[in-house]
Amino acid sequence: MIASISGRVAAIAPDSAVVEVGGVGMLVHCASGTLATLRTGEETRLATSLVVREDSLTLFGFGTDDERTVFELLQTASGVGPRLALAMLAVHPPNALRVAVASADVKALTMVPGIGQKGAQRIILELKDKLGTPDAALAAALNGQAKQPAWREQVHSGLVGLGYSARDADEAIAIVSPEADAEVAAGRAPAVAVLLKAALRALSVR
């Protein structure tokens, strides 16, 4: 198994990137959030998962080892293949998926293109004991102890005001959430203008 790759980003496409590793260009399929962190010509490291089929070898790349782990666990649910698992991570980061499964949040899962109500219920049933426990902040949100951060509402309103759909806005917010969380962890209030710009950039490379 190819657990990770490191090298120069040679090209970026809407759903993949080419990373040069030892003189070989490796095509890696990635979620939009991961692609938004890559820059052509710059060095990168991606955690990877190799999906083997009779007629193909497909490499999927992730910004963190946790994303790769969740990607692989998602595929243990009936009807969830690598493309759908990647789409789920494009809409919801790993901990948000843990929250959705732990709280049986069908609505959150049906935000993912390709997942209907019955599919969401099946995923919840089959993965509830596999994905692990959400972190403390998200667990608090499950019990109604945490309020929606103000920056989320402001970025969401800004994107909708620019003509994006509510679903597009939700996807972009999921992508920039780690950046906002890092600011909060450092004791700083997330800058809405910076996050809005990052969200627009993420939507432009989908």
Side-chain angles (χ1 to χ4, degrees), residues 30-39 46 61-64 67 86 175:
C30 306
S32 54
T34 301
L35 291 172
T37 67
L38 304 180
R39 298 292 181 271
L46 295 174
F62 309 91
T64 67
E67 288 180 347
L86 194 66
I175 292 168

Side-chain angles (χ1 to χ4, degrees), residues 18 33 52 82 137 142:
V18 175
V52 180
L142 284 178

Side-chain angles (χ1 to χ4, degrees), residues 127-138:
L127 295 181
K128 63 180 181 180
D129 296 322
K130 294 182 179 180
L131 288 185
T133 304
D135 67 21
L138 287 170

Side-chain angles (χ1 to χ4, degrees), residues 8-13 16-20 26-28 35 38-41:
R8 186 180 69 86
V9 179
I12 300 174
S16 63
V18 175
V19 180
E20 291 187 350
M26 306 284 286
L27 179 65
V28 189
L35 291 172
L38 304 180
R39 298 292 181 271
T40 303

Side-chain angles (χ1 to χ4, degrees), residues 65-84:
D65 292 341
D66 189 34
E67 288 180 347
R68 177 188 62 203
T69 297
V70 170
F71 171 78
E72 293 173 347
L73 287 172
L74 290 173
Q75 294 175 71
T76 64
S78 303
V80 179
R83 297 290 181 180
L84 184 54

Side-chain angles (χ1 to χ4, degrees), residues 45-134:
R45 176 196 178 276
L46 295 174
T48 57
S49 178
L50 180 64
V51 175
V52 180
R53 296 286 186 266
E54 290 185 3
D55 58 349
S56 66
L57 297 173
T58 307
L59 195 62
F60 293 85
F62 309 91
T64 67
D65 292 341
D66 189 34
E67 288 180 347
R68 177 188 62 203
T69 297
V70 170
F71 171 78
E72 293 173 347
L73 287 172
L74 290 173
Q75 294 175 71
T76 64
S78 303
V80 179
R83 297 290 181 180
L84 184 54
L86 194 66
M88 293 173 72
L89 284 167
V91 176
H92 300 296
N95 270 318
L97 285 171
R98 291 187 178 101
V99 169
V101 170
S103 61
D105 190 346
V106 171
K107 182 178 179 181
L109 293 179
T110 55
M111 290 173 60
V112 180
I115 297 182
Q117 185 169 351
K118 290 184 178 180
Q121 292 170 341
R122 183 180 64 250
I123 289 169
I124 290 167
L125 179 65
E126 296 184 13
L127 295 181
K128 63 180 181 180
D129 296 322
K130 294 182 179 180
L131 288 185
T133 304

